Amino acid sequence: MVLRECAEKSAAFQKLKNAYTHREEAAKAAKAAGKKVVGTLGCDVPEELILAAGMQPYPIYAVPGGPMDMADKYLEYAFDPMVRAQFERIVDGSLNDFCDAVVVSNSTDVLIRIYLYLKELKRVETDVNFPPVYFIDWLFTRRRMHQERNRLTISLFKEEMEKLAGRVITDEEIDAAAVVCNRTRELLRKIDAFRTAREMKLTGTEMLVIIGGGFYMDREAYNKVLEELLEELPAWPAVTGKRLFYTGSVQTDTGLYARVEAAGAVIVGEDHDWGSRYFERDYDREMPPVRALVDRYMLREFSSKKAFVSQRVEALDRETDAAGAEGVLFYFHIYEEAASWDYPSQKESLEGRGIDTLHFAKMHWPQTQEESDAFSAGLKTLIEGKEA
Amino acid sequence: MAEEKSKSKVVKKLKATAAIGAYQKEWFAGLAERVKNGEDFAYLNADVPMEIFRAMDIPFVVNQWWAAICGAKRMTAKYYGLLNQAGYRDDLCSYCATALAESLDPDDHAIGSDGKPLGPWGGLPHPTIAITRLTCDCQSKIFELFAKNHGASFYAMENTQPRKAPLNWYEIVEDNWEDLYDTDRLDAAVEELKELIRFLEEKTGRMFDENKLIEVMNLINEQEAWYKKTRDLIAETSPVPVTVVDTINAVMQAQWQRGTRFAADHARSLYEEIKALADAGEAAVPNEKYRLMWIGRGIWHDFGFYQRFEQKYGAVFMWSMYLAMGADSYIRNHVEEDPLRALAARYIGMEDFLHMPPWNSSWFLQQARQNRIDGVVYMVPENCMQAVEGSYFIKKTLEDAGIPVLEFKADPVDARKWNAQSMTALVEEFIENRVMKGEK
Ligand code: SF4
């Protein structure tokens, strides 16, 4: 993790970095304090509901380089490497001592398969022990009937969370959780403005830590740390470099961003959910809770996985404009294929607007040596604007 | 070559296969003519409820059928080159992206120097409507791009996941679909149909008539009931009168004509023909020793593959999903009570029956038992997330029941990636080491 001195010296940032690095601490502490912990898989699990039930959300992340015995046994080769590693952590028992449940949202097709496989494993391989699994079957197509259907889906999910929590989740509790989550999003947007400003004071690497740290903290404590950090940021030194927007596979650690930024660029925005998509769109407290939840998760900016090509072209144009990006890095892991169909149209639109692009598909995780060399060479071209 | 020697004689004898092939050509020419005369023309993914289009008399072509035609015409190498030139990857979704690739071909409707059309069957007429369901993350993107290239309207239908999944779906689906599916899921599917109908009425100016849908649905029931009889007949007959080489084409092509009098009559004629062969004691493979089940899409570019094990081992591929899905998954009785709900109960389950554990694995086992299967050859398609269908569970279910399974990866339409020799060797080894040793 390449961090600047200002970040290393900031007490607020260090708290975030600690949570980002030691991801189980808060969940285990919550568990020890008698709270239930809910592992989440997919970026469309409404955390407001989990928090309202007095439970602690815990995004299940992939650990690189570990054994993959269970994934190799149960999954076909066509599951992308991060999802494989996430599946491994669920079924190898890693979560059993602190997670009470796993909630999967259908944020990509592959996660639907993971849910079905977990359900089937529970049925036929009873010796494989992992927490009970719940599923949220969102519809992302923007039509009235799908919004209505989503309201039913979220009402059913709320009932399931009530059963898990052992009590009713009141509207007031959801509202209180929404206040906390909206405050987080507001603070993150303000902080992110230091990254997207003309004079950049934050790097993409630092922003990943700031966002991801909060996933593994008590949320009110997180907001306090963000407030502290916000106070400090005006005094942080400016960073320079080619302004890049990142689109593609979720980055749950800072490795890739640090490489890009060490090569002379700054990642000023991204469309994955461990980045700026996380704080896009608030929960509208004027609406009844289920409507507000559906509105927040169904109608935020199109994800790179679940949208039509035309929607993705427009989304990326909007996002790069907002971030003031000069270039776009497309980066997709092997077997994360859907967005490959968007790329030619996106590239055409971006390049028509004077924005450079660099595309990597079918990348292993972690990269092979050959991929790593090609990545470095490509970056050099993109950043320096000449053949490496 | 062994391939030549082992060609099933019956494949040439089946009039039904030739009849549907000829009909399809004639029908396609008629369709092209209608499109030329300015009618709307819909291009549909296989999981779209085409019954609505049939009832509204909107001409349509089904993506997977057309991909098979393009594959059989060996167009794929050219098409993937075109995708590549346009900046797309050429190793993705070969089955579903064939028509998108074709839409990039400037010669699709051209005539070659030999006076023959360059595109398959003279090329795909320009659709005015392109519709898919969101049963995987790629399909909507492919269809939207395809629609744009043709100047067609793009429309997508949503997909939902079941909460309940009774294992014996094939026993209850024909009459008791309310027990099979979550009620709200069926409600949502009916709403999808109504929305689709509204879109089509607006787009084409034609009115949807529910009475016509009832007629279409009943014709389909008639057709699929013949497939059930055919499947049952083949299952109980040894040696089998026909192989998958005979049935796949005859059934798959006619399925795309379902809801017509022709298709229902064709299904009857297929049954009668096979029944006559069975009654006459005609065997597809007279030395039949081992009955093989094929799980996966058809290898359109190398149909001879299925016959390479007949003479040497007496191993006959006698089961494929094409006939058996017709037999078990399409019939919906008492349609008149609520035709749209009956149709909803047909279209939402199709992908799940085939691709979702435990529905697929429990059905494959039931079918393997009914057909007295000695070994299963299971092709897991490359580059398709939708067909990632719990192969572990399928294999385990069958092998726990004592039926050996050979699982391998291949691409059903991309001839570039198919190595006939190594695939044949793989199956031979399987037959010798597992099927012949009587694991079952
Ligand atoms: S993932 Fe499979 S079903 Fe989906 S478009 Fe690709 S080939 Fe077709």
Side-chain angles (χ1 to χ4, degrees):
Chain A
M1 197 186 298
V2 184
L3 298 168
R4 291 175 303 153
E5 204 185 335
C6 53
E8 296 288 10
K9 282 189 173 160
S10 158
F13 190 88
Q14 284 309 306
K15 285 180 206 160
L16 296 166
K17 186 181 156 194
N18 187 55
Y20 189 75
T21 314
H22 305 289
R23 296 181 179 179
E24 280 65 50
E25 271 180 13
K28 287 184 175 168
K31 181 78 184 164
K35 268 191 174 186
K36 287 205 161 132
V37 176
V38 177
T40 61
L41 196 61
C43 57
D44 297 293
V45 179
E47 52 184 6
E48 290 87 345
L49 258 183
I50 295 170
L51 293 167
M55 303 188 288
Q56 175 78 14
Y58 167 82
I60 298 166
Y61 60 94
V63 179
M68 284 289 170
D69 300 344
M70 305 293 258
D72 291 345
K73 181 173 177 185
Y74 296 117
L75 305 184
E76 286 93 343
Y77 63 97
F79 285 79
D80 72 70
M82 272 199 175
V83 166
R84 290 186 90 78
Q86 287 169 309
F87 176 85
E88 183 75 25
R89 289 194 65 221
I90 296 171
V91 296
D92 74 359
S94 298
L95 312 179
N96 290 1
D97 62 338
F98 66 96
C99 265
D100 297 279
V102 170
V103 179
V104 183
S105 69
N106 63 338
S107 310
T108 67
D109 198 21
V110 69
L111 292 179
I112 300 174
R113 310 285 148 179
I114 290 286
Y115 165 67
L116 294 173
Y117 285 29
L118 290 173
K119 204 167 131 187
E120 190 62 355
L121 272 178
K122 281 261 179 236
R123 193 179 71 85
V124 299
E125 308 246 285
T126 43
D127 54 332
V128 182
N129 189 19
F130 55 92
V133 182
Y134 300 84
F135 182 64
I136 307 179
D137 194 20
W138 286 104
L139 300 180
F140 293 102
T141 309
R142 296 189 179 182
R143 293 202 195 107
R144 179 199 56 79
M145 64 178 169
H146 301 134
Q147 192 178 33
E148 256 177 38
R149 166 93 187 155
N150 283 335
R151 286 178 197 144
L152 173 73
T153 300
I154 292 306
S155 300
L156 292 173
F157 177 62
K158 178 171 171 267
E159 282 171 23
E160 287 180 319
M161 290 300 98
E162 286 177 333
K163 277 192 206 131
L164 181 65
R167 64 175 178 78
V168 168
I169 306 171
T170 65
D171 288 1
E172 291 71 27
E173 286 170 325
I174 299 174
D175 187 61
V179 168
V180 174
C181 293
N182 278 354
R183 177 67 179 150
T184 299
R185 291 186 273 259
E186 182 194 355
L187 287 163
L188 286 173
R189 282 195 287 269
K190 284 183 176 163
I191 289 171
D192 197 50
F194 285 90
R195 171 166 71 143
T196 55
R198 226 182 151 75
E199 185 185 56
M200 300 173 280
K201 295 205 167 187
L202 265 180
T203 65
T205 310
E206 289 156 358
M207 198 62 205
L208 282 190
V209 177
I210 294 166
I211 298 164
F215 294 175
Y216 301 102
M217 288 176 78
D218 170 83
R219 294 311 169 89
E220 297 198 33
Y222 177 47
N223 284 352
K224 288 209 177 73
V225 177
L226 292 180
E227 280 163 10
E228 283 168 38
L229 184 69
L230 196 53
E231 298 271 302
E232 291 177 18
L233 284 177
W236 284 27
V239 280
T240 53
K242 181 153 180 169
R243 301 170 67 103
L244 296 187
F245 188 90
Y246 171 93
T247 179
S249 300
V250 62
Q251 294 301 313
T252 58
D253 64 45
T254 55
L256 193 89
Y257 275 39
R259 273 187 72 189
V260 173
E261 297 188 328
V266 179
I267 296 184
V268 288
E270 57 280 300
D271 54 15
H272 64 80
D273 283 81
W274 284 55
S276 35
R277 192 165 183 268
Y278 175 67
F279 50 80
E280 215 265 323
R281 197 174 184 101
D282 282 336
Y283 172 107
D284 186 344
R285 294 178 58 218
E286 297 297 313
M287 294 182 192
V290 168
R291 281 175 182 264
L293 288 168
V294 169
D295 177 90
R296 200 266 147 181
Y297 286 87
M298 180 186 180
L299 300 181
R300 54 188 179 139
E301 189 57 283
F302 296 103
S303 111
S304 63
K305 314 286 164 53
K306 286 271 178 196
F308 306 140
V309 175
S310 56
Q311 292 170 329
R312 285 297 304 147
V313 170
E314 287 167 17
L316 195 54
D317 286 351
R318 274 192 296 272
E319 288 164 328
T320 48
D321 272 354
E326 299 163 302
V328 174
L329 171 61
F330 291 80
Y331 190 92
F332 295 97
H333 289 144
I334 186 163
Y335 301 125
E336 251 192 297
E337 320 284 30
S340 289
W341 292 110
D342 301 330
Y343 167 65
S345 309
Q346 289 176 316
K347 175 180 154 77
E348 190 186 343
S349 178
L350 290 166
E351 292 185 351
R353 296 158 63 244
I355 297 174
D356 301 332
T357 63
L358 179 64
H359 182 243
F360 293 95
K362 296 168 80 169
M363 299 299 275
H364 289 85
W365 180 79
Q367 293 172 358
T368 63
Q369 189 56 51
E370 203 179 318
E371 287 170 346
S372 177
D373 294 344
F375 185 68
S376 299
L379 267 183
K380 198 167 158 59
T381 312
L382 178 67
I383 294 167
E384 295 175 12
K386 62 176 192 285
E387 287 303 315
Chain B
M1 281 226 354
E3 180 192 342
E4 284 307 309
K5 275 191 252 154
S6 67
K7 273 239 152 85
S8 164
K9 282 181 279 166
V10 180
V11 68
K12 303 228 159 123
K13 277 197 217 154
L14 267 194
K15 288 189 215 97
T17 309
I20 185 65
Y23 180 87
Q24 286 295 86
K25 281 218 163 124
E26 202 185 306
W27 158 80
F28 188 79
L31 180 144
E33 196 56 33
R34 285 177 72 177
V35 179
K36 211 165 94 188
N37 292 335
E39 282 195 54
D40 277 302
F41 163 42
Y43 194 78
L44 310 180
N45 203 54
D47 50 14
V48 171
M50 48 118 102
E51 290 82 353
I52 298 288
F53 298 79
R54 181 82 67 214
M56 293 178 78
D57 192 27
I58 300 170
F60 62 86
V61 159
V62 174
N63 190 32
Q64 283 68 11
W65 169 73
W66 187 245
I69 297 291
C70 296
K73 294 273 167 200
R74 302 203 160 238
M75 301 302 288
T76 44
K78 177 186 187 189
Y79 286 171
Y80 300 141
L82 290 168
L83 276 179
N84 210 276
Q85 274 169 32
Y88 296 100
R89 282 172 52 184
D90 64 356
D91 58 348
L92 275 185
C93 300
S94 51
Y95 205 46
C96 297
T98 299
L100 167 64
E102 183 193 7
S103 71
L104 300 165
D105 184 359
D107 293 332
D108 197 35
H109 298 111
I111 303 290
S113 52
D114 58 359
K116 290 187 179 149
L118 295 177
W121 289 12
L124 185 71
H126 289 297
T128 56
I129 303 165
I131 306 190
T132 189
R133 283 180 65 219
L134 302 177
T135 43
C136 78
D137 290 346
C138 294
Q139 240 151 39
S140 65
K141 294 175 188 283
I142 293 169
F143 262 72
E144 194 196 22
L145 291 166
F146 168 89
K148 194 172 164 214
N149 289 351
H150 282 288
S153 300
F154 165 65
Y155 187 91
M157 297 179 75
E158 268 291 1
N159 183 42
T160 54
Q161 300 302 318
R163 292 194 299 280
K164 65 177 178 187
L167 292 185
N168 62 339
W169 62 264
Y170 42 84
E171 286 168 6
I172 55 179
V173 68
E174 292 180 7
D175 293 292
N176 299 323
W177 53 80
E178 297 291 343
D179 291 340
L180 181 65
Y181 299 112
D182 308 293
T183 303
D184 57 88
R185 195 174 176 227
L186 269 177
D187 295 344
V190 171
E191 286 307 307
E192 283 284 348
L193 287 174
K194 289 181 180 168
E195 195 91 349
L196 172 68
I197 290 166
R198 264 190 291 274
F199 166 77
L200 292 174
E201 286 183 332
E202 279 294 315
K203 172 80 187 163
T204 66
R206 292 173 196 217
M207 194 192 105
F208 171 76
D209 175 4
E210 206 166 67
N211 299 318
K212 185 72 191 152
L213 179 66
I214 291 171
E215 198 183 311
V216 166
M217 295 285 283
N218 281 328
L219 279 169
I220 295 172
N221 285 342
E222 190 182 323
Q223 179 182 356
E224 310 298 330
W226 287 113
Y227 293 150
K228 196 185 266 294
K229 280 172 79 89
T230 308
R231 189 274 314 275
D232 291 349
L233 171 70
I234 295 170
E236 72 198 20
T237 310
S238 289
V240 287
V242 288
T243 75
V244 296
V245 173
D246 308 308
T247 54
I248 288 181
N249 266 322
V251 172
M252 190 225 187
Q253 302 206 66
Q255 279 289 26
W256 306 130
Q257 297 297 344
R258 68 179 184 265
T260 62
R261 171 47 53 205
F262 167 82
D265 289 348
H266 180 269
R268 180 177 42 78
S269 73
L270 177 70
Y271 170 76
E272 287 171 352
E273 206 179 350
I274 295 173
K275 177 85 169 71
L277 289 172
D279 289 348
E282 277 237 32
V285 180
N287 66 329
E288 175 185 306
K289 286 199 189 74
Y290 308 106
R291 295 158 75 97
L292 299 180
M293 180 175 201
W294 173 258
I295 299 183
R297 293 162 176 170
I299 304 282
W300 307 119
H301 50 75
D302 186 10
F303 245 54
F305 169 77
Y306 296 111
Q307 299 180 314
R308 284 183 200 133
F309 317 96
E310 294 174 354
Q311 204 171 56
K312 189 165 171 188
Y313 301 106
V316 50
F317 277 103
M318 52 79 65
W319 189 96
S320 83
M321 65 172 176
Y322 293 96
L323 176 61
M325 276 291 280
D328 285 341
S329 69
Y330 283 82
I331 296 171
R332 297 294 178 273
N333 296 318
H334 53 88
V335 166
E336 292 77 5
E337 286 168 22
D338 190 344
L340 281 183
R341 203 161 177 88
L343 176 56
R346 176 182 293 146
Y347 89 86
I348 59 172
M350 285 299 173
E351 288 304 317
D352 301 341
F353 299 151
L354 268 183
H355 297 306
M356 184 188 76
W359 275 357
N360 53 8
S361 51
S362 63
W363 180 58
F364 290 145
L365 176 60
Q366 185 264 349
Q367 280 301 286
R369 284 184 170 142
Q370 185 193 359
N371 287 272
R372 293 168 289 135
I373 292 294
D374 298 295
V376 175
V377 179
Y378 176 15
M379 182 187 77
V380 180
E382 284 192 64
N383 72 36
C384 176
M385 183 40 72
Q386 192 182 68
V388 165
E389 56 199 4
S391 55
Y392 170 83
F393 302 107
I394 292 171
K395 198 161 180 263
K396 177 182 162 57
T397 304
L398 290 162
E399 291 193 335
D400 283 356
I403 302 162
V405 178
L406 167 69
E407 184 186 334
F408 69 91
K409 287 190 276 181
D411 188 309
V413 288
D414 192 348
R416 296 171 307 171
K417 296 186 202 155
W418 179 252
N419 183 330
Q421 227 174 1
S422 64
M423 291 302 173
T424 305
L426 201 65
V427 176
E428 288 193 343
E429 196 199 338
F430 171 68
I431 293 171
E432 285 173 20
N433 293 329
R434 299 190 60 196
V435 179
M436 289 169 72
K437 288 192 178 151
E439 259 186 46
K440 190 182 164 197

